[in-house]
Amino acid sequence: MGKKEPEFYDGITTNQRGVTIAALGADCIPIVFADPVKKACGVAHSGWKGTLLGVAMATVKAMISEYGCSLEDIIVVLGPSVGPCCFTLPRESAHSFHNLHPACVRLFDSPNPYIDIRKATRILLEQGGILSQNIQDQSQDLNLCTSCHPEKFFSCVRDGLNFGTQIGFISIRE
């Protein structure tokens, strides 16, 4: 926030009080970041490509470089997303997830393996130095599959192009 807006972006950070920032997602992960020590926050939209491109850690690095945040102080919440029960990719695209960690892929030898983008995001955050206990991804309804729960979530995987979106948002109180 406060800089020239890029043409495309999947993450944003701020330390401005009273400003709400948000990330949208239907099956992609809306990720929310908070550093209660430096009073900075961020959000990111992480689909499968963004996950592999490192949008989560790019947001963390922006918080560190812009606001002096420390890895051990950053808390990350992974919002609901499509689960490994419903999300598949062609095998050639699944290779990158398998290379990250074999547990991110189920039925790897099939033409369309099942992918766990949440597990991949957690692994990338932990590899980047975020403390495991500071990653919230299991409590309440956070770990529910958006595709499996039409009563709670929108889903492009389930509904095709006629879908809505969830939103992850955060602000720093004035």
Side-chain angles (χ1 to χ4, degrees), residues 15-54:
N15 66 351
Q16 296 177 25
R17 297 188 188 301
V19 173
T20 300
I21 55 177
L24 303 176
D27 292 312
C28 301
I29 310 170
I31 308 175
V32 178
F33 305 81
D35 181 339
V37 176
K38 293 292 184 178
K39 303 286 189 255
C41 60
V43 293
H45 163 269
S46 188
W48 74 268
K49 290 179 185 176
T51 297
L52 292 175
L53 289 171

Side-chain angles (χ1 to χ4, degrees), residues 76-97:
V76 183
V77 178
L78 305 183
S81 67
V82 68
C85 47
C86 295
F87 186 60
T88 63
L89 285 174
R91 190 174 334 153
E92 49 280 3
S93 297
H95 275 287
S96 296
F97 285 95

